[in-house]
Structure formats: C-alpha cells, structure tokens
Amino acid sequence: MIFQPLPRSLYEPSADKVAQSLLGHYLLRNTPKGPAGGRIVETEAYLIGDPACHSYGGPSARNQSMFGPPGHAYVYLIYGIYYCFNTVCRPPGHAEAVLVRAIEPEFEVDWMQQQRKADTLKLLTNGPGRLCLALNINRKLDGVDLCDTKSPLFIAENPKRKKTLKELGPMVTTTRIGITKAAEHPLRFYLSASPFVSKR
C-alpha cells in the first residue's frame, strides 16, 4: 500500500477541529519491515488559553515544538514512564496540539507486539501511553515532520475514511480524561464502534 501524507493545511485550524479531522486517518511508524500502525480512533484537543495545555505557561525546553510549525510531532513524557504523541496545530507561535489517544493496529502488527507485550490485541494501542510503546515513540521523535512519509513517524490519508467513519461511528464528543485542569471541556472525540477506544 502506498501512503500519502495528510497536507500541512489540515493542521492549520484550531486543535478542536483538527482532532475531529484526524479520526479515521492512519498514524504510522516507519520500521525496517515497513510502516506500522493503524487508524486513529480517539483524540483530545488542547487549545490556547487552556490551563490543561502544555503551552499555557509559555515556551519551554519541553514544549518548544508546540509553537510551530503545524504538522509536526510534540512528544512528552508523563509520570516519568509513558510517552504521549501529539500533532502540532495552528500557525507558528499559536501553540495548540491534538493528543492521539488510541489507534486500531492494522499494519505490521507483529512488529508492534514485539515493542509492547499485551494480553490481547485490544490492549495493544487503546491508550496514549500504550500506542507510544507499541510504535516505539519517544522524545527522539519530538518535532518530526508528520507530513513527510520519510519521517520516522507520519500521518497518512485513509482514502476510505468516509467508509471508516460510517463503520466505526458515530463520533462521540465528550470531556477529556486523565487531567484535573479544565477537565469539563468537551474536547475528546472518538469513534464509538471501535473496540480500541481507551475509555467510554
């Protein structure tokens, strides 16, 4: 299968729009065996002025990639153990991001299972930390270009996205999870029929 990257223009709107636009497309990690990954089924948006957004306090060594350009990765460590993968949104200087919370493993699943042992396929990538382990995503990938298929990590167009949304939908809009600040905002989006959604 020949993958085409999503255009950079898709990442230029606000993160709440991008979070919905990414559902159904492919998150892929280049490996010696070929791209590994699958369809994105759960996302969360983090916005300017949002106390839960890492850019809220201004630029730092940790969040520098959030400030642009759009269509790049923002990868950070939580609890000193798990990495989380985000897509940078908005023009440079307007730091917003979309956290990818879950994907459906479809390509090079054996390779993914070698990176992260899981009792069932369902548990392989149904959470932001889990999918990063399965795709070997860490801080070394912070800032990589997601619009370049030669990057270690990229997001590709699903030419059958409409069919995917119909099969796995409807899309649910709800509150974000795993945070304490601004947790009441409806900025989490997921495809309700996917068994890989982290929490319903």
Side-chain angles (χ1 to χ4, degrees):
M1 184 172 181
I2 299 176
F3 295 105
Q4 297 295 329
L6 291 178
R8 198 170 307 281
S9 59
L10 183 139
Y11 301 96
E12 292 175 353
S14 186
D16 58 338
K17 299 289 190 291
V18 178
Q20 298 172 65
S21 299
L22 290 176
L23 292 174
H25 289 301
Y26 296 120
L27 173 61
L28 299 169
R29 176 77 156 96
N30 273 320
T31 79
K33 294 184 176 182
R39 294 176 293 183
I40 297 169
V41 295
E42 183 182 1
T43 57
E44 282 182 348
Y46 290 86
L47 312 175
I48 292 174
D50 176 358
C53 184
H54 285 185
S55 65
Y56 188 71
S60 68
R62 181 196 195 198
N63 68 15
Q64 190 60 48
S65 61
M66 283 191 74
F67 288 82
H72 286 249
Y74 169 48
V75 181
Y76 61 86
L77 186 69
I78 57 170
Y79 311 129
I81 304 173
Y82 301 109
Y83 292 99
C84 290
F85 163 74
N86 303 254
T87 68
V88 175
C89 306
R90 302 285 303 273
H94 299 78
E96 295 190 356
V98 173
L99 171 66
V100 177
R101 288 194 55 89
I103 67 170
E104 291 201 348
E106 297 177 51
F107 307 105
E108 297 299 337
V109 176
D110 289 346
W111 181 88
M112 296 169 68
Q113 290 174 320
Q114 291 173 7
Q115 312 309 307
R116 179 179 184 274
K117 306 299 181 184
D119 292 336
T120 65
L121 187 63
K122 180 180 176 180
L123 296 175
L124 184 63
T125 54
N126 66 334
R130 290 174 175 177
L131 75 86
C132 280
L133 285 171
L135 292 177
N136 192 23
I137 297 172
N138 54 42
R139 278 286 289 179
K140 292 179 180 179
L141 301 185
D142 181 55
V144 301
D145 190 352
L146 302 173
C147 301
D148 184 355
T149 56
K150 295 180 181 178
S151 287
L153 187 69
F154 65 98
I155 296 180
E157 179 184 3
N158 176 3
K160 298 181 180 179
R161 181 175 182 259
K162 287 185 178 180
K163 183 180 179 182
T164 293
L165 297 182
K166 185 176 181 180
E167 290 176 349
L168 298 180
M171 183 188 77
V172 172
T173 301
T174 185
T175 52
R176 297 175 295 190
I177 55 179
I179 60 174
T180 54
K181 298 177 180 179
E184 72 279 6
H185 297 310
L187 293 172
R188 182 165 69 102
F189 311 92
Y190 66 83
L191 299 179
S192 59
S194 172
F196 292 88
V197 172
S198 64
K199 186 176 180 181
R200 298 177 187 280

